Amino acid sequence: MSHWEPLGEAVGVFTTPDHTFGADAMRLAAFVPQGLRRICEFGTGCGVIALQLCVAARAAGRELPQITALDVQPEAATLAAQSVERSGLQEHVTVLTADWRTAPLAAGAFDAVVCNPPYFPPATGGVSENTARRIARHEDSPAALDELCVSAARVLKNGGRFFLCHRPERLADLTVSLRAAGLEPKRMQLVQHDTNSSPYLLLCEARKGGNAGMIVEPALLG
């Protein structure tokens, strides 16, 4: 049975025990700047990031973006589509059941790609027996991070921006994969529980065809 989680006035998402969201998704949504028009979200899950981007744009008095949200799991895509319909955002968010590696999207079609990807390499980090959670948390092959970056680069226009969150311990892997795909890391921010703890989350923005040079923003607490 699904549960309705409000995000703003008349906007929210349906969640289930298998398809829900946490603070990482909300941090990532807040990391994406205003003004981007054509956005693709890889691995939308219950749709919270796509819908939160619409909430933020509306709150700022801006035109809402056009978002294409993908998820490989039919149950998640159905849940996200139901959230979009109840929120009255069908004209702004389109949900597709598709793998980002093979999705029928035109090359160079988007200003931005947003993704909260699986954090753990295959067979590491305590693999869940629950299929939905395993797909959300664990990469399905050793090449998964490379394939994610290549897929993002394919659908981004030149100068387009890729926003994602990850674990800080995967920073080296992430940088290598981004650069190999022609995506230059341009902005990074770490998140930690308090000033005495190590960062637990990495937020990153990369640009297709960008020049070398990255801004590291002050860490977020909480």
Side-chain angles (χ1 to χ4, degrees):
M1 180 176 293
S2 62
H3 174 71
W4 178 251
E5 296 277 357
L7 296 176
E9 185 177 353
V11 178
V13 291
F14 288 108
T15 65
T16 67
D18 287 343
H19 302 290
T20 185
F21 66 93
D24 292 8
M26 300 304 285
R27 292 285 193 188
L28 179 57
F31 186 70
V32 178
Q34 295 286 329
L36 297 166
R37 293 294 307 124
R38 298 168 300 162
I39 300 173
C40 186
E41 186 193 359
F42 289 174
T44 193
C46 63
V48 66
I49 292 177
L51 289 167
Q52 183 61 30
L53 292 176
C54 291
V55 169
R58 183 174 287 167
R62 289 181 173 270
E63 184 179 359
L64 272 61
Q66 295 296 316
I67 303 174
T68 301
L70 315 177
D71 204 284
V72 71
Q73 300 186 70
E75 298 87 355
T78 297
L79 201 65
Q82 291 171 345
S83 299
V84 170
E85 182 175 1
R86 174 161 171 174
S87 298
L89 291 169
Q90 302 95 316
E91 294 184 3
H92 299 281
V93 182
T94 300
V95 181
L96 302 177
T97 303
D99 188 314
W100 58 57
R101 290 167 287 200
T102 57
L105 303 172
F110 294 95
D111 302 314
V113 172
V114 182
C115 184
N116 179 2
Y119 291 154
F120 301 106
T124 65
V127 179
S128 176
E129 294 183 1
N130 181 287
T131 300
R133 295 175 187 171
R134 185 172 63 250
I135 291 172
R137 297 175 183 176
H138 287 83
E139 296 169 348
D140 59 6
S141 79
L145 189 54
D146 291 341
E147 292 169 343
L148 169 63
C149 295
V150 167
S151 298
R154 182 181 70 82
V155 301
L156 282 171
K157 70 178 186 181
N158 192 44
R161 301 151 81 178
F162 183 28
F163 301 91
L164 75 162
C165 55
H166 223 295
R167 289 294 184 96
E169 59 265 31
R170 298 295 304 277
L171 175 57
D173 295 336
L174 177 60
T175 301
V176 169
S177 295
L178 286 169
R179 282 187 158 172
L183 298 168
E184 184 63 29
K186 299 298 296 179
R187 184 165 67 103
M188 184 179 74
Q189 189 169 37
L190 296 171
V191 185
Q192 56 196 90
H193 292 297
D194 55 58
T195 55
N196 296 317
S197 63
S198 297
Y200 67 88
L201 183 68
L202 164 70
L203 301 167
C204 182
E205 174 188 339
R207 187 162 299 195
K208 183 176 179 178
N211 295 324
M214 181 172 65
I215 296 172
V216 180
E217 298 184 349
L220 292 172
L221 300 181

